PDB file of all heavy atoms in Angstrom:
ATOM      1  N   ALA A   1       0.826  -1.212   0.000  1.00  0.00           N
ATOM      2  CA  ALA A   1       0.000   0.000   0.000  1.00  0.00           C
ATOM      3  C   ALA A   1       0.856   1.256   0.000  1.00  0.00           C
ATOM      4  O   ALA A   1       0.579   2.216  -0.729  1.00  0.00           O
ATOM      5  CB  ALA A   1      -0.926  -0.006   1.219  1.00  0.00           C
ATOM      6  N   ILE A   2       1.911   1.258   0.832  1.00  0.00           N
ATOM      7  CA  ILE A   2       2.783   2.428   0.877  1.00  0.00           C
ATOM      8  C   ILE A   2       3.516   2.580  -0.447  1.00  0.00           C
ATOM      9  O   ILE A   2       3.653   3.672  -0.981  1.00  0.00           O
ATOM     10  CB  ILE A   2       3.774   2.318   2.048  1.00  0.00           C
ATOM     11  CG1 ILE A   2       3.015   2.359   3.371  1.00  0.00           C
ATOM     12  CG2 ILE A   2       4.802   3.434   2.001  1.00  0.00           C
ATOM     13  CD1 ILE A   2       3.871   2.070   4.576  1.00  0.00           C
ATOM     14  N   GLY A   3       3.976   1.466  -1.024  1.00  0.00           N
ATOM     15  CA  GLY A   3       4.649   1.537  -2.309  1.00  0.00           C
ATOM     16  C   GLY A   3       3.739   2.086  -3.395  1.00  0.00           C
ATOM     17  O   GLY A   3       4.151   2.882  -4.239  1.00  0.00           O
ATOM     18  N   SER A   4       2.454   1.686  -3.362  1.00  0.00           N
ATOM     19  CA  SER A   4       1.505   2.213  -4.338  1.00  0.00           C
ATOM     20  C   SER A   4       1.306   3.700  -4.158  1.00  0.00           C
ATOM     21  O   SER A   4       1.200   4.452  -5.121  1.00  0.00           O
ATOM     22  CB  SER A   4       0.153   1.487  -4.195  1.00  0.00           C
ATOM     23  OG  SER A   4       0.293   0.119  -4.511  1.00  0.00           O
ATOM     24  N   ALA A   5       1.253   4.141  -2.879  1.00  0.00           N
ATOM     25  CA  ALA A   5       1.082   5.571  -2.616  1.00  0.00           C
ATOM     26  C   ALA A   5       2.255   6.365  -3.164  1.00  0.00           C
ATOM     27  O   ALA A   5       2.079   7.442  -3.739  1.00  0.00           O
ATOM     28  CB  ALA A   5       0.937   5.815  -1.108  1.00  0.00           C
ATOM     29  N   ILE A   6       3.467   5.832  -2.982  1.00  0.00           N
ATOM     30  CA  ILE A   6       4.654   6.508  -3.499  1.00  0.00           C
ATOM     31  C   ILE A   6       4.589   6.597  -5.017  1.00  0.00           C
ATOM     32  O   ILE A   6       4.816   7.644  -5.619  1.00  0.00           O
ATOM     33  CB  ILE A   6       5.934   5.779  -3.039  1.00  0.00           C
ATOM     34  CG1 ILE A   6       6.116   5.964  -1.528  1.00  0.00           C
ATOM     35  CG2 ILE A   6       7.151   6.281  -3.792  1.00  0.00           C
ATOM     36  CD1 ILE A   6       7.197   5.085  -0.940  1.00  0.00           C
ATOM     37  N   GLY A   7       4.247   5.500  -5.668  1.00  0.00           N
ATOM     38  CA  GLY A   7       4.151   5.504  -7.117  1.00  0.00           C
ATOM     39  C   GLY A   7       3.048   6.411  -7.614  1.00  0.00           C
ATOM     40  O   GLY A   7       3.213   7.149  -8.580  1.00  0.00           O
ATOM     41  N   ASN A   8       1.889   6.416  -6.918  1.00  0.00           N
ATOM     42  CA  ASN A   8       0.781   7.254  -7.333  1.00  0.00           C
ATOM     43  C   ASN A   8       1.096   8.727  -7.179  1.00  0.00           C
ATOM     44  O   ASN A   8       0.672   9.555  -7.983  1.00  0.00           O
ATOM     45  CB  ASN A   8      -0.473   6.914  -6.510  1.00  0.00           C
ATOM     46  CG  ASN A   8      -1.043   5.558  -6.886  1.00  0.00           C
ATOM     47  OD1 ASN A   8      -0.754   5.031  -7.947  1.00  0.00           O
ATOM     48  ND2 ASN A   8      -1.848   4.985  -5.991  1.00  0.00           N
ATOM     49  N   ALA A   9       1.839   9.079  -6.123  1.00  0.00           N
ATOM     50  CA  ALA A   9       2.201  10.481  -5.929  1.00  0.00           C
ATOM     51  C   ALA A   9       3.055  10.972  -7.077  1.00  0.00           C
ATOM     52  O   ALA A   9       2.890  12.074  -7.584  1.00  0.00           O
ATOM     53  CB  ALA A   9       2.953  10.672  -4.602  1.00  0.00           C
ATOM     54  N   SER A  10       3.992  10.132  -7.520  1.00  0.00           N
ATOM     55  CA  SER A  10       4.846  10.513  -8.645  1.00  0.00           C
ATOM     56  C   SER A  10       4.042  10.642  -9.915  1.00  0.00           C
ATOM     57  O   SER A  10       4.186  11.594 -10.678  1.00  0.00           O
ATOM     58  CB  SER A  10       5.949   9.466  -8.826  1.00  0.00           C
ATOM     59  OG  SER A  10       6.764   9.778  -9.922  1.00  0.00           O
ATOM     60  N   GLY A  11       3.126   9.668 -10.148  1.00  0.00           N
ATOM     61  CA  GLY A  11       2.321   9.705 -11.355  1.00  0.00           C
ATOM     62  C   GLY A  11       1.383  10.890 -11.380  1.00  0.00           C
ATOM     63  O   GLY A  11       1.196  11.534 -12.413  1.00  0.00           O
ATOM     64  N   SER A  12       0.786  11.211 -10.215  1.00  0.00           N
ATOM     65  CA  SER A  12      -0.131  12.341 -10.146  1.00  0.00           C
ATOM     66  C   SER A  12       0.591  13.642 -10.448  1.00  0.00           C
ATOM     67  O   SER A  12       0.061  14.520 -11.119  1.00  0.00           O
ATOM     68  CB  SER A  12      -0.762  12.425  -8.751  1.00  0.00           C
ATOM     69  OG  SER A  12      -1.523  11.267  -8.505  1.00  0.00           O
ATOM     70  N   ALA A  13       1.822  13.768  -9.939  1.00  0.00           N
ATOM     71  CA  ALA A  13       2.585  14.984 -10.184  1.00  0.00           C
ATOM     72  C   ALA A  13       2.859  15.144 -11.674  1.00  0.00           C
ATOM     73  O   ALA A  13       2.716  16.227 -12.238  1.00  0.00           O
ATOM     74  CB  ALA A  13       3.903  14.959  -9.407  1.00  0.00           C
ATOM     75  N   ALA A  14       3.232  14.055 -12.328  1.00  0.00           N
ATOM     76  CA  ALA A  14       3.549  14.137 -13.748  1.00  0.00           C
ATOM     77  C   ALA A  14       2.323  14.462 -14.576  1.00  0.00           C
ATOM     78  O   ALA A  14       2.413  15.081 -15.633  1.00  0.00           O
ATOM     79  CB  ALA A  14       4.164  12.817 -14.214  1.00  0.00           C
ATOM     80  N   ALA A  15       1.145  14.058 -14.051  1.00  0.00           N
ATOM     81  CA  ALA A  15      -0.078  14.254 -14.807  1.00  0.00           C
ATOM     82  C   ALA A  15      -0.625  15.670 -14.698  1.00  0.00           C
ATOM     83  O   ALA A  15      -1.549  16.034 -15.415  1.00  0.00           O
ATOM     84  CB  ALA A  15      -1.143  13.265 -14.339  1.00  0.00           C
ATOM     85  N   THR A  16      -0.100  16.475 -13.789  1.00  0.00           N
ATOM     86  CA  THR A  16      -0.662  17.805 -13.572  1.00  0.00           C
ATOM     87  C   THR A  16      -0.235  18.810 -14.613  1.00  0.00           C
ATOM     88  O   THR A  16      -0.791  19.895 -14.684  1.00  0.00           O
ATOM     89  CB  THR A  16      -0.244  18.343 -12.190  1.00  0.00           C
ATOM     90  OG1 THR A  16       1.178  18.393 -12.132  1.00  0.00           O
ATOM     91  CG2 THR A  16      -0.788  17.475 -11.079  1.00  0.00           C
ATOM     92  N   GLY A  17       0.739  18.510 -15.406  1.00  0.00           N
ATOM     93  CA  GLY A  17       1.186  19.482 -16.406  1.00  0.00           C
ATOM     94  C   GLY A  17       2.126  18.822 -17.378  1.00  0.00           C
ATOM     95  O   GLY A  17       2.423  17.646 -17.277  1.00  0.00           O
ATOM     96  N   SER A  18       2.593  19.565 -18.335  1.00  0.00           N
ATOM     97  CA  SER A  18       3.545  19.032 -19.296  1.00  0.00           C
ATOM     98  C   SER A  18       4.873  19.719 -19.089  1.00  0.00           C
ATOM     99  O   SER A  18       5.666  19.311 -18.253  1.00  0.00           O
ATOM    100  CB  SER A  18       2.999  19.237 -20.719  1.00  0.00           C
ATOM    101  OG  SER A  18       2.656  20.598 -20.916  1.00  0.00           O
ATOM    102  N   ALA A  19       5.109  20.804 -19.822  1.00  0.00           N
ATOM    103  CA  ALA A  19       6.381  21.501 -19.672  1.00  0.00           C
ATOM    104  C   ALA A  19       6.509  22.134 -18.292  1.00  0.00           C
ATOM    105  O   ALA A  19       7.603  22.370 -17.813  1.00  0.00           O
ATOM    106  CB  ALA A  19       6.505  22.576 -20.749  1.00  0.00           C
ATOM    107  N   GLU A  20       5.352  22.430 -17.648  1.00  0.00           N
ATOM    108  CA  GLU A  20       5.365  23.101 -16.367  1.00  0.00           C
ATOM    109  C   GLU A  20       5.532  22.127 -15.200  1.00  0.00           C
ATOM    110  O   GLU A  20       5.657  22.545 -14.063  1.00  0.00           O
ATOM    111  CB  GLU A  20       4.062  23.897 -16.169  1.00  0.00           C
ATOM    112  CG  GLU A  20       4.060  25.239 -16.880  1.00  0.00           C
ATOM    113  CD  GLU A  20       4.965  26.233 -16.188  1.00  0.00           C
ATOM    114  OE1 GLU A  20       4.708  26.594 -15.028  1.00  0.00           O
ATOM    115  OE2 GLU A  20       5.952  26.643 -16.815  1.00  0.00           O
ATOM    116  N   ALA A  21       5.460  20.828 -15.431  1.00  0.00           N
ATOM    117  CA  ALA A  21       5.549  19.862 -14.343  1.00  0.00           C
ATOM    118  C   ALA A  21       6.876  20.029 -13.592  1.00  0.00           C
ATOM    119  O   ALA A  21       7.925  20.247 -14.187  1.00  0.00           O
ATOM    120  CB  ALA A  21       5.427  18.443 -14.888  1.00  0.00           C
ATOM    121  N   VAL A  22       6.799  19.939 -12.284  1.00  0.00           N
ATOM    122  CA  VAL A  22       7.971  20.124 -11.429  1.00  0.00           C
ATOM    123  C   VAL A  22       8.562  18.758 -11.103  1.00  0.00           C
ATOM    124  O   VAL A  22       7.865  17.892 -10.557  1.00  0.00           O
ATOM    125  CB  VAL A  22       7.576  20.858 -10.129  1.00  0.00           C
ATOM    126  CG1 VAL A  22       8.782  21.026  -9.210  1.00  0.00           C
ATOM    127  CG2 VAL A  22       6.954  22.214 -10.451  1.00  0.00           C
ATOM    128  N   PRO A  23       9.833  18.509 -11.404  1.00  0.00           N
ATOM    129  CA  PRO A  23      10.428  17.205 -11.104  1.00  0.00           C
ATOM    130  C   PRO A  23      10.625  17.023  -9.608  1.00  0.00           C
ATOM    131  O   PRO A  23      10.819  18.003  -8.870  1.00  0.00           O
ATOM    132  CB  PRO A  23      11.770  17.246 -11.840  1.00  0.00           C
ATOM    133  CG  PRO A  23      12.092  18.696 -11.959  1.00  0.00           C
ATOM    134  CD  PRO A  23      10.779  19.409 -12.090  1.00  0.00           C
ATOM    135  N   PRO A  24      10.576  15.784  -9.107  1.00  0.00           N
ATOM    136  CA  PRO A  24      10.713  15.552  -7.681  1.00  0.00           C
ATOM    137  C   PRO A  24      11.966  16.147  -7.060  1.00  0.00           C
ATOM    138  O   PRO A  24      11.939  16.579  -5.899  1.00  0.00           O
ATOM    139  CB  PRO A  24      10.704  14.018  -7.581  1.00  0.00           C
ATOM    140  CG  PRO A  24       9.909  13.568  -8.758  1.00  0.00           C
ATOM    141  CD  PRO A  24      10.251  14.545  -9.843  1.00  0.00           C
ATOM    142  N   ALA A  25      13.066  16.206  -7.802  1.00  0.00           N
ATOM    143  CA  ALA A  25      14.309  16.738  -7.237  1.00  0.00           C
ATOM    144  C   ALA A  25      14.158  18.182  -6.785  1.00  0.00           C
ATOM    145  O   ALA A  25      14.844  18.625  -5.852  1.00  0.00           O
ATOM    146  CB  ALA A  25      15.438  16.622  -8.254  1.00  0.00           C
TER     147      ALA A  25
END
């Protein structure tokens, strides 16, 4: 469950924008 949450958080971030998306770093 925690691993899915981590993966979903990354995917959700990428889905919020294209060129404007903020990388996790």
Side-chain angles (χ1 to χ4, degrees):
I2 295 172
S4 296
I6 291 170
N8 289 341
S10 178
S12 297
T16 59
S18 53
E20 280 287 297
V22 178

